[in-house]
């Protein structure tokens, strides 16, 4: 089971961390392995921490990152291909993109062959809202085995 979560608001970092802990405690299957946690600080700078095994509780997340108002996580079974940040990319001053299953899958769109989650970031840079960006990427890739979640620097969220 791969889970992706984004949150916006007071202590969003802590909220996504607690949500994954709950899933790891109650869930079954491929969980408690690789995890990537990301947040945006008050300046819009992106911060990441990740691990291959042990789930979110194995990560050493700085306390100020847990207080971040924009945060995201992706988690699943262990031993995913490196670099793990490919599953939850972010860009300073722009946003974060998480997802489900294979959000890093290459786009089937030959005019934009970048990974799906990176394509969402490109569209955010072109001033799309998170929902517009995700809708465009998924419409262009209807057979993609992926779910996408995005949050921008303004705290707006999109999903599909």
């Amino acid at each position: 089971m791969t889970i992706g979560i984004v949150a916006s608001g007071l202590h969003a970092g802590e909220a996504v961390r607690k949500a994954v802990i709950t899933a790891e405690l109650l869930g079954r299957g491929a969980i408690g392995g690789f995890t990537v946690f990301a947040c945006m600080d008050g300046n819009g700078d992106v911060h990441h921490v990740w691990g291959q095994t042990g789930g979110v509780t194995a990560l050493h997340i700085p306390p100020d990152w847990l207080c971040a108002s924009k945060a995201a996580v992706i988690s699943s079974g262990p031993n995913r291909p490196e670099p793990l940040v490919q599953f939850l990319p972010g860009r300073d001053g722009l946003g974060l993109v998480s997802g489900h299953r294979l959000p890093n899958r290459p786009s089937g769109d030959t005019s934009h062959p970048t990974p799906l989650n990176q394509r969402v970031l490109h569209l955010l840079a072109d001033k799309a809202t998170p929902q517009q960006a995700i809708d465009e990427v998924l419409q262009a890739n209807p057979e993609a085995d992926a779910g996408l979640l995005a949050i921008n620097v303004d705290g707006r969220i999109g999903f599909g």
Side-chain angles (χ1 to χ4, degrees):
M1 156 174 50
T2 303
I3 57 173
I5 301 168
V6 297
S8 177
L10 189 61
H11 300 285
E14 182 64 19
V16 299
R17 182 181 156 284
K18 284 182 177 180
V20 176
I21 288 172
T22 300
E24 289 175 353
L25 290 173
L26 300 175
R28 300 281 184 259
I31 194 160
F34 106 92
T35 305
V36 181
F37 172 95
C39 69
M40 295 184 81
D41 66 23
N43 296 321
D45 294 334
V46 172
H47 304 280
H48 284 93
V49 64
W50 59 87
Q52 279 284 14
T53 59
V56 74
T57 58
L59 299 180
H60 299 288
I61 304 171
D64 57 322
W65 293 9
L66 297 174
C67 295
S69 64
K70 291 166 278 299
V73 70
I74 187 169
S75 184
S76 192
N79 305 315
R80 296 300 194 246
E82 298 279 353
L84 294 178
V85 171
Q86 71 179 307
F87 295 98
L88 199 169
R91 194 179 305 167
D92 291 345
L94 192 59
L96 304 166
V97 183
S98 186
H100 168 72
R101 296 281 299 145
L102 300 170
N104 62 323
R105 175 190 183 277
S107 168
D109 182 354
T110 56
S111 64
H112 302 289
T114 58
L116 300 173
N117 52 15
Q118 290 287 345
R119 180 72 186 131
V120 170
L121 281 176
H122 292 304
L123 292 169
L124 292 177
D126 287 341
K127 306 299 182 206
T129 68
Q131 192 63 56
Q132 290 168 334
I134 287 173
D135 288 347
E136 182 174 324
V137 169
L138 292 178
Q139 287 170 5
N141 297 276
E143 300 298 319
D145 186 12
L148 296 168
L149 302 153
I151 184 168
N152 70 5
V153 70
D154 297 327
R156 295 175 73 183
I157 293 173
F159 60 93

